[in-house]
Amino acid sequence: MAAPVAGCVTVPTLFSSSLHSVVSDLSRNVDQLSRLPPTVKERIMVIMSKRGLLTDDNISKVIHDKVREIDLSECDMTDDGLLVVSLCKQLRKLDLNAAKQNRTSISTVGVQFIARGCPLLHTVYLRRCMNVTDDAIVTLAECCRQLMRLNIGGCNQITDQSLAALGRHCRMLRSVNFSRTNVTDDGVISLVTGCCKQSLMEVHMSHCVHLTDESVEAVMEFCPRVSILLFDGCPCITERSREALEDLKSPDCKMKQVTWTIY
């Protein structure tokens, strides 16, 4: 096949156009989707996902047990839908971030379905899932030992219990976002002194009103690979943390991005 010429418009293939046509007339075609081969169903699932069309009622029509990634950030899904998703034993990545408004239809029960059914998960995004509690994250940490990326930012029921569980079980954890949660220094210290201290590279803990300089200093002391550290909007963090960061300036320093707020 000849390489595309610069400046030329890419024309969709007949197959791609057919898939979009099926999704555009979903109400008529939805009952037929389950008969399609897995590779075709997955292509349709991706299109539906991007359009926010996946629901509890139709996800079983397009999902199959070899699915590795699902993006539900734009979709209206509840715990019932997550029960279906939990049958995907090969699932590696699940995005349930609330794209616009806070998400209240997903709860601890749904996340536990996923954690127990999908032990190979390495990436889970739950930003602003307001009904997710510590019990969900504890189950996730215990069942998904290959977890590498977790976003629980804005889940305001999350406390130190979640961070302690991650520190106990998730030795491969590289990136964690617990901004706008109810964690304290004790939780952060449990996390960064735990089994993931050598793997952590990104820590997002902005707008956590209970955190103090002890959290910042603990991250810097125990996590040598951290290159991104965000703690802006934490009113109890003082100039002491800035001074500690200044002391890190050296040719060996891996820090690439730091944000904080001066009060």
Side-chain angles (χ1 to χ4, degrees):
M1 181 182 295
V5 179
C8 289
V9 177
T10 302
V11 179
T13 64
L14 179 59
F15 178 60
S16 177
S17 297
S18 298
L19 295 181
H20 283 274
S21 179
V22 168
V23 174
S24 295
D25 198 4
L26 193 59
S27 59
R28 177 185 296 181
N29 298 316
V30 66
D31 291 333
Q32 311 301 319
L33 297 179
S34 57
R35 302 179 183 179
L36 297 171
T39 53
V40 178
K41 289 199 290 187
E42 190 160 353
R43 291 280 296 272
I44 289 176
M45 183 180 69
V46 170
I47 296 170
M48 292 173 65
S49 167
K50 290 178 179 178
R51 298 187 186 184
L53 296 176
L54 288 173
T55 66
D56 293 346
D57 295 328
N58 64 31
I59 192 167
S60 63
K61 307 288 186 182
V62 293
I63 207 164
H64 60 87
D65 60 2
K66 298 296 191 296
V67 168
R68 289 175 172 249
E69 295 187 10
I70 303 179
D71 184 350
L72 298 172
S73 59
E74 298 284 350
C75 302
D76 186 13
M77 191 73 60
T78 74
D79 293 339
D80 291 337
L82 293 189
L83 180 59
V84 177
V85 175
S86 70
L87 301 177
C88 301
K89 304 301 182 183
Q90 301 300 314
L91 194 66
R92 266 50 169 198
K93 179 179 179 181
L94 177 63
D95 188 346
L96 284 165
N97 279 347
K100 299 173 184 176
Q101 300 177 344
N102 292 339
R103 189 191 289 272
T104 58
S105 57
I106 298 296
S107 76
T108 291
V109 172
V111 177
Q112 288 177 322
F113 287 153
I114 294 293
R116 290 167 180 150
C118 310
L120 300 180
L121 275 168
H122 61 61
T123 301
V124 179
Y125 297 147
L126 298 166
R127 186 184 67 235
R128 299 207 315 272
C129 290
M130 308 306 288
N131 289 325
V132 169
T133 67
D134 288 323
D135 287 343
I137 307 308
V138 170
T139 304
L140 192 67
E142 291 174 346
C143 297
C144 303
R145 301 298 181 92
Q146 298 182 39
L147 195 64
M148 298 171 64
R149 299 174 188 84
L150 177 65
N151 188 340
I152 47 176
C155 300
N156 59 10
Q157 297 190 60
I158 296 300
T159 71
D160 294 343
Q161 188 179 351
S162 292
L163 299 191
L166 294 170
R168 283 195 304 272
H169 303 294
C170 299
R171 66 176 59 254
M172 299 175 68
L173 192 65
R174 294 182 183 179
S175 173
V176 60
N177 184 336
F178 50 89
S179 300
R180 298 182 187 274
T181 60
N182 278 304
V183 300
T184 72
D185 292 335
D186 289 339
V188 175
I189 292 170
S190 295
L191 173 70
V192 303
T193 58
C195 65
C196 59
K197 63 183 180 182
Q198 294 296 324
S199 62
L200 273 174
M201 301 176 71
E202 293 186 29
V203 179
H204 300 236
M205 54 187 194
S206 303
H207 299 278
C208 291
V209 298
H210 304 299
L211 298 187
T212 73
D213 297 309
E214 289 189 14
S215 289
V216 178
E217 292 169 349
V219 173
M220 292 189 293
E221 179 178 354
F222 296 106
C223 302
R225 299 186 66 196
V226 165
S227 59
I228 297 177
L229 175 59
L230 311 183
F231 54 92
D232 52 295
C234 298
C236 296
I237 293 178
T238 71
E239 186 76 3
R240 192 173 102 193
S241 291
R242 186 193 65 77
E243 293 171 354
L245 287 164
E246 288 288 332
D247 293 340
L248 278 180
K249 286 185 176 179
S250 72
D252 298 326
C253 180
K254 293 182 172 62
M255 199 68 70
K256 296 179 181 177
Q257 181 182 354
V258 181
T259 68
W260 71 87
T261 304
I262 298 174
Y263 288 93

